[in-house]
């Protein structure tokens, strides 16, 4: 465990998702002890579990809580319902428990419930008004976690654009985020891109390995060594096309499974270890994306534990850094000296063959448009 603790102590602002879809997970007080020992400073949960909220009291750990999808339409229709939820579920624990964010729904805009989509931003506005009524709006931000599927194009990053179906909702969401100084949250998983086409997608690029050549956006000439960071910049470009290029983009979920079914390419312990290790190293160095190099990217890893009751393929139950008995699923492989700087840490490269990922962009090199240049210049200011 020492190796993992060493790097996490260097990444105090790192976030992690603490899911609870399991029948064998440790009690919340033990989980909080683990998180505190690792000096993880930010945690996201998927409800307002009273036992969890109580356990985090006095720890100083920042907590994002979640409004489930089924409550969103009611909150949109009634400001009093938003106030009631906040008063009953969050206010009793605040500020001893440092709730700093509320995620309203999860990946709503890529679902098929049109009423839910139309209700999301109105619910967020009512919830923000309730926070203001209780004097909490200066401390708690309201946003929603989006799937990367809200983008019609994400590759190369400068071509990022929202889908036609999502764009009207995105304009409303981005306006709200600007009005309330809240971030845009994206759930981004390079693993899925690799799994879907392992013969064409570079494993090194998907794993954010810094040792490979990297991908160059032909329009901006920015170089990317991380697919995740490229995906984030694609969201920033998409928001800029709607006139909201200054909204910060944070990664609310990202991770890599350590185990999968036969058709789930790349779901291995080694790849999971490498992916999370690379992100931890970038966190230590305070690295931003190529488009926003001076703005450290806020990342929440998924997930703290393997969760045995999650439905779907085997990978869904194997994203955790830890087993439910609190033993490590894998060691992230860093040296044991907790005071070591990022520059002195030795990075192991992926055993997969290297490939110049710039070839992946070759077919997309069109004539550089004035619009792309203007957007890039504005975003880099």
């Amino acid at each position: 465990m020492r190796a993992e603790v060493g790097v996490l102590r260097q990444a105090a602002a790192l976030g992690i998702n603490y899911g609870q879809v399991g029948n064998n997970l440790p009690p919340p007080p033990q989980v909080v002890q683990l998180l505190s020992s690792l000096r993880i400073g930010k945690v996201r949960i998927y409800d307002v579990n009273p036992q969890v909220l109580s356990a985090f009291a006095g720890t100083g750990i920042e907590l994002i809580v979640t409004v489930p999808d089924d409550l969103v339409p009611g909150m949109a229709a009634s400001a009093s319902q938003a106030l009631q939820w906040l008063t009953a579920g969050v206010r009793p624990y605040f500020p001893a428990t440092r709730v700093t964010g509320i995620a309203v729904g999860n990946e709503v805009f890529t679902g098929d419930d049109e009423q839910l989509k139309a209700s999301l931003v109105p619910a967020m506005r009512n919830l923000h008004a309730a926070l203001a009524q209780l004097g909490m709006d200066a401390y708690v931000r309201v946003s929603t976690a989006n799937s990367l599927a809200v983008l019609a194009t994400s590759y190369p990053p400068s071509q990022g654009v929202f889908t036609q179906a999502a764009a009207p909702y995105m304009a409303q969401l981005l306006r709200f985020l600007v009005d309330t100084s809240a971030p845009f949250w994206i759930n981004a998983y390079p693993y899925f891109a690799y799994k879907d086409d392992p013969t064409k997608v570079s494993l090194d690029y998907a794993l954010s390995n810094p040792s490979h050549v990297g991908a160059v956006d032909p329009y901006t000439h920015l170089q990317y060594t991380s697919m995740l960071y490229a995906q984030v910049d694609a969201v920033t470009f998409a928001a800029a096309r709607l006139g909201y290029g200054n909204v910060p983009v944070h990664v609310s979920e990202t991770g890599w499974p350590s185990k999968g079914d036969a058709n789930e390419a790349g779901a291995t312990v080694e790849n999971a270890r490498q992916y999370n290790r690379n992100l931890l190293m970038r966190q230590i160095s305070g690295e931003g994306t190529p488009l926003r190099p001076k703005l450290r990217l806020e990342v929440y890893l998924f997930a703290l534990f393997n969760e045995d009751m999650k439905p779907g393929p085997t990978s869904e139950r194997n994203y955790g850094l830890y087993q439910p008995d609190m033993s490590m699923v894998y060691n992230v492989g860093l040296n044991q000296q907790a005071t070591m700087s990022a520059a002195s840490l030795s990075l192991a490269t992926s055993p997969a063959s290297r490939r110049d990922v710039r070839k992946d962009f070759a077919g997309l090199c069109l004539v550089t448009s004035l619009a792309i240049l203007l957007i890039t210049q504005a975003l880099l200011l």
Side-chain angles (χ1 to χ4, degrees), residues 180-202:
T180 61
S181 301
F184 187 104
W185 287 333
I186 191 75
N187 295 342
Y189 289 86
Y191 161 71
F192 291 131
Y194 178 76
K195 176 184 74 72
D196 290 344
D197 201 352
T199 62
K200 293 184 179 179
V201 175
S202 165

Side-chain angles (χ1 to χ4, degrees), residues 71-115:
L71 296 184
V72 171
M75 284 193 183
S78 170
S80 63
Q81 286 195 34
L83 180 61
Q84 182 181 8
W85 180 87
L86 189 64
T87 302
V90 180
R91 184 66 184 89
Y93 309 94
F94 181 88
T97 297
R98 196 179 172 193
V99 177
T100 58
I102 300 175
V104 183
N106 189 54
E107 301 189 350
V108 168
F109 293 134
T110 47
D112 55 7
D113 189 331
E114 297 303 321
Q115 181 191 8

Side-chain angles (χ1 to χ4, degrees), residues 316-372:
E316 287 295 313
R317 295 175 288 283
N318 288 278
Y319 274 90
L321 296 179
Y322 287 85
Q323 299 285 8
D325 65 3
M326 297 176 67
S327 63
M328 286 188 295
V329 176
Y330 49 83
N331 190 315
V332 291
L334 297 174
N335 292 327
Q336 295 183 8
Q337 290 86 347
T339 58
M340 186 170 291
S341 69
S344 63
L345 290 168
S346 175
L347 280 169
T349 58
S350 167
S353 61
R354 302 284 172 242
R355 184 158 67 94
D356 185 348
V357 189
R358 287 179 292 185
K359 294 177 182 178
D360 295 333
F361 284 146
L364 294 171
C365 293
L366 306 176
V367 177
T368 303
S369 69
L370 178 60
I372 294 296

